Amino acid sequence: MLVTGAGGFIGGHLVAEFRRLGYQRIRAVDVKPVEEWYQRFEDVENLSLDLNLRENCETAATGADEIYSLAANMGGMGFIEHNKALCMLSVLINTHMLQAALAHGCKKFFYSSSACVYNADKQTTFEAPSLKEEDAYPAQAEDGYGWEKLFSERMCRHFREDFGLYTRVARFHNVYGPWGTWFGGREKAPAAICRKVIEAKLGGTYEIEIWGSGVQTRSFMWADDCIKGVQLIMDSEILEPINLGSTEAVSINQLVDIVEDIAGVKLKRSYNLAAPKGVNGRNSDNTLIKKYLNWEPDTSLRVGLEKTYAWIYDQYLAREKGLPGVVRESFVAGKA
Ligand code: NAD
């Protein structure tokens, strides 16, 4: 099994799951130095490689039966709105990875696309319109990041149709959980809000800045649901890109309400209307995934956020004390 982007949030969880399932030959690849990966395991082949380069994709794909292609230059809205060219350059990773998969006789190839492929005109209202798979066309994806995802998922389709490569594609809707980015500019809304609430509480300011008006709506998928969905979709007969997301839509204000409740605080809110906020409303329509798999991501946001908040809280305290991250060490020792 090859997992790319394994030093990141979802890739790390996928490697952890394959270990739990007992796979013996897992290769984990990321451009970051191995010491900086969120989760790393001594019994896995960990390689630090830049997959923009074809020769590194060849190295990564050698001997791999299954490839889970998650590597991408990405982040939350703050990152993707200001780094469109960098996001689009991930097309090099996906092009070279598909070519390498084909050249090395890979049996199954999974690609992580995104809800950012959906047509912006269908996401102008705050009532969280549920996006069906067909709503990606006519194409007017999120500029930069979304266009690259749409192009790469299309390439997966044509590698399958023209070259016979087994490809499966899921469109992830906002994934959250522990072992992901929670500060530094690439973090997404759930992690950013957990961190801001912790800062306000421990710093004694009891104030929080929210990006946008707070009424924009989204759904958020618990990481374990995402990992389960990836495996089900990889082994399915679903040929076209399919939504993998929760249907529990909330406004950003409601997201803050839940985190405040978990933290046991009430904060004074200010709204930064100039900050990147993305589309007004977005939700996952799960008709297709339920039809094919008789399953959909269903962990409640409250349950997932409690665990995420607790993890970020620990990381925050560790960072304050100058420690590398309190929980990480037990994973390195292979006690996961
Ligand atoms: P992440 O940023 O935590 O992980 C991506 C990893 O890819 C990073 O560790 C990064 O170092 C690595 N990477 C970047 N460029 C690379 C390169 N040239 N060579 C090798 N590795 C490289 O992000 P994530 O949240 O784990 O996302 C995983 C995948 O899921 C991405 O493709 C992302 O676009 C997609 N996705 C994520 C979400 C979400 O909510 N997290 C939503 C939609 C789609």
Side-chain angles (χ1 to χ4, degrees):
M1 318 287 270
L2 164 65
V3 178
T4 79
F9 167 45
I10 303 170
H13 282 288
L14 199 55
V15 171
E17 173 68 3
F18 288 152
R19 268 181 88 252
R20 272 192 292 270
L21 291 172
Y23 287 97
Q24 302 288 319
R25 297 180 61 221
I26 306 168
R27 180 177 295 142
V29 176
D30 202 287
V31 70
K32 292 187 291 200
V34 175
E35 316 78 71
E36 291 176 20
W37 295 14
Y38 290 118
Q39 301 190 62
R40 57 183 192 274
F41 304 95
E42 288 160 354
D43 52 359
V44 165
E45 184 188 358
N46 298 312
L47 301 178
S48 175
L49 294 173
D50 181 354
L51 296 175
N52 282 309
L53 305 177
R54 169 80 186 258
E55 59 267 34
N56 287 342
C57 290
E58 301 279 347
T59 304
T62 303
D65 280 345
E66 297 190 11
I67 296 178
Y68 294 80
S69 187
L70 276 76
N73 213 336
M74 61 91 66
M77 279 316 299
F79 180 81
I80 66 177
E81 277 205 5
H82 293 119
N83 295 279
K84 298 190 178 92
L86 274 184
C87 289
M88 293 208 82
L89 282 171
S90 293
V91 76
L92 292 175
I93 304 175
N94 296 319
T95 307
H96 291 145
M97 215 53 247
L98 277 166
Q99 289 179 307
L102 198 60
H104 289 271
C106 160
K107 297 194 177 84
K108 290 179 165 187
F109 187 97
F110 176 88
Y111 175 59
S112 55
S113 185
S114 162
C116 288
V117 300
Y118 284 112
N119 186 320
D121 288 344
K122 301 190 176 176
Q123 305 169 74
T124 53
T125 64
F126 292 111
E127 282 82 49
S130 298
L131 296 160
K132 290 187 192 302
E133 284 74 2
E134 68 217 38
D135 291 330
Y137 296 97
Q140 200 194 333
E142 179 87 39
D143 201 5
Y145 177 73
W147 278 104
E148 192 280 324
K149 288 286 183 196
L150 195 62
F151 179 85
S152 290
E153 63 174 48
R154 198 93 194 166
M155 221 173 10
C156 288
R157 169 181 173 166
H158 295 306
F159 267 67
R160 176 172 53 77
E161 289 177 350
D162 295 357
F163 302 142
L165 183 67
Y166 178 113
T167 59
R168 297 292 182 265
V169 177
R171 292 176 180 156
F172 296 173
H173 289 245
N174 294 309
V175 190
Y176 73 99
W179 307 105
T181 309
W182 58 279
F183 73 99
R186 287 185 189 245
E187 63 277 20
K188 304 190 96 183
I193 286 170
C194 286
R195 188 202 69 236
K196 286 180 182 185
V197 170
I198 293 165
E199 275 168 354
K201 182 179 174 181
L202 298 183
T205 63
Y206 294 95
E207 288 175 359
I208 185 167
E209 182 191 86
I210 294 169
W211 285 10
S213 60
V215 292
Q216 67 271 35
T217 44
R218 295 290 185 278
S219 70
F220 299 96
M221 169 169 54
W222 172 237
D224 290 357
D225 286 344
C226 176
I227 297 305
K228 180 171 180 187
V230 167
Q231 295 171 81
L232 291 173
I233 291 166
M234 181 65 138
D235 294 335
S236 76
E237 293 309 312
I238 307 170
L239 300 182
E240 295 298 322
I242 188 159
N243 280 335
L244 182 56
S246 161
T247 54
E248 185 187 348
V250 289
S251 69
I252 298 301
N253 275 329
Q254 288 170 320
L255 182 64
V256 178
D257 289 343
I258 299 173
V259 179
E260 281 181 343
D261 195 49
I262 292 167
V265 290
K266 211 70 199 138
L267 306 177
K268 184 167 180 288
R269 300 179 187 187
S270 63
Y271 295 91
N272 182 350
L273 301 180
K277 65 165 185 60
V279 294
N280 285 338
R282 175 181 290 162
N283 194 3
S284 178
D285 181 300
N286 284 356
T287 310
L288 259 194
I289 196 167
K290 283 193 288 189
K291 181 179 139 204
Y292 280 117
L293 301 177
N294 198 21
W295 173 86
E296 65 179 319
D298 61 357
T299 303
S300 84
L301 184 56
R302 168 79 198 207
V303 166
L305 276 176
E306 279 174 11
K307 296 179 187 165
T308 308
Y309 180 88
W311 181 80
I312 294 177
Y313 192 86
D314 285 347
Q315 299 300 309
Y316 187 92
L317 290 186
R319 196 180 59 155
E320 293 287 285
K321 291 181 192 149
L323 298 171
V326 274
V327 205
R328 178 179 289 174
E329 301 312 318
S330 64
F331 274 73
V332 177
K335 294 181 199 141

